[in-house]
Amino acid sequence: MATRTDAPTRREQILKEAARLFAERGFHGVGVDEIGAAVGISGPGLYRHFAGKDAMLAELLVGISGQLLTGAKRRLAEADGVPPEAVLDSLIEGHIDFALDDRPLITLHDRELDRLRDSDRKLVRQLQRQYVELWVEVVRKVYPELTEPTARSAVHSVFGLLNSTPHLGRPGSLPGRGATAELLHRMARGAFGAAGIG
């Protein structure tokens, strides 16, 4: 989502506005007419793209989990022969891009994951577990003294730190994207470093 440079499709526009509205007012607080109005089509016109709000929610949450995993795999593939510290930095940068550019999806995940059908929720969790395990492998290369459970706990803790961006205030109140990204990166590496002390 955050890395596309071409014009978004109508479907992507709908998903972006649905994510924003769901994050602002909750899944049940938003109607299809409002989502349609946000992208300049009628509410019923949305049904040409999605079966309903449940389908939008599922595509948003399954989609972002899949994109994070795909992005991490791509970064690992591109890092062949690169020192583990640089690979970890690349993973952190990718997650920071998500945390800063797709903030509504973090809020949506926190509030609405339980509204997904069981099969979609299980798929989200499966994708997230795979994403975590990629990080655990890299973290243990950088900090070999960490046991696997400790590394996994550290990864989850760093995700909590990075995914706190919806609570940092309105986008305009942050010190700027670059400065915020640098701060988050230093904090993430600091947290991993602290986990490795002992």
Side-chain angles (χ1 to χ4, degrees):
M1 287 187 144
T3 58
R4 284 185 61 104
T5 55
D6 50 336
T9 65
R10 174 65 77 180
R11 188 177 180 88
E12 290 167 336
Q13 291 171 345
I14 292 168
L15 287 172
K16 181 178 179 182
E17 289 305 315
R20 180 183 63 80
L21 291 167
F22 292 159
E24 287 176 2
R25 301 209 304 273
F27 180 74
H28 287 304
V30 179
V32 292
D33 290 339
E34 294 168 275
I35 298 169
V39 295
I41 61 176
S42 68
L46 289 178
Y47 294 109
R48 288 195 298 272
H49 302 278
F50 296 95
K53 287 197 315 177
D54 289 336
M56 291 179 214
L57 181 64
E59 187 157 332
L60 285 164
L61 295 182
V62 172
I64 194 56
S65 296
Q67 287 176 39
L68 284 169
L69 178 59
T70 299
K73 286 180 176 179
R74 178 182 46 77
R75 286 173 181 271
L76 290 177
E78 292 170 352
D80 189 33
V82 173
E85 291 84 0
V87 178
L88 181 57
D89 284 334
S90 179
L91 288 176
I92 292 170
E93 288 163 10
H95 199 96
I96 287 172
D97 285 343
F98 157 68
L100 291 177
D101 298 337
D102 292 315
R103 292 166 67 185
L105 291 176
I106 297 172
T107 301
L108 198 58
H109 179 277
D110 290 346
R111 289 187 193 158
E112 311 291 356
L113 181 64
D114 288 342
R115 297 196 190 284
L116 293 181
R117 292 178 308 173
D118 284 348
S119 59
D120 289 328
R121 189 168 54 252
K122 286 177 183 175
L123 179 54
V124 168
R125 294 298 191 199
Q126 178 186 36
L127 293 167
Q128 289 174 339
R129 280 193 299 273
Q130 292 176 47
Y131 183 60
V132 168
E133 294 311 309
L134 289 178
W135 279 67
V136 169
E137 183 178 337
V138 173
V139 167
R140 292 192 72 207
K141 287 178 181 174
V142 178
Y143 303 100
E145 70 276 16
L146 292 180
T147 64
E148 191 171 299
T150 301
R152 191 172 293 109
S153 294
V155 168
H156 281 289
S157 297
V158 167
F159 287 171
L161 167 72
L162 299 179
N163 291 347
S164 68
T165 54
H167 309 290
L168 297 179
R170 294 201 168 295
S173 67
L174 298 177
R177 191 191 188 286
T180 302
E182 288 177 18
L183 173 64
L184 290 171
H185 198 116
R186 287 196 309 273
M187 294 176 72
R189 283 305 298 263
F192 284 130
I197 293 172

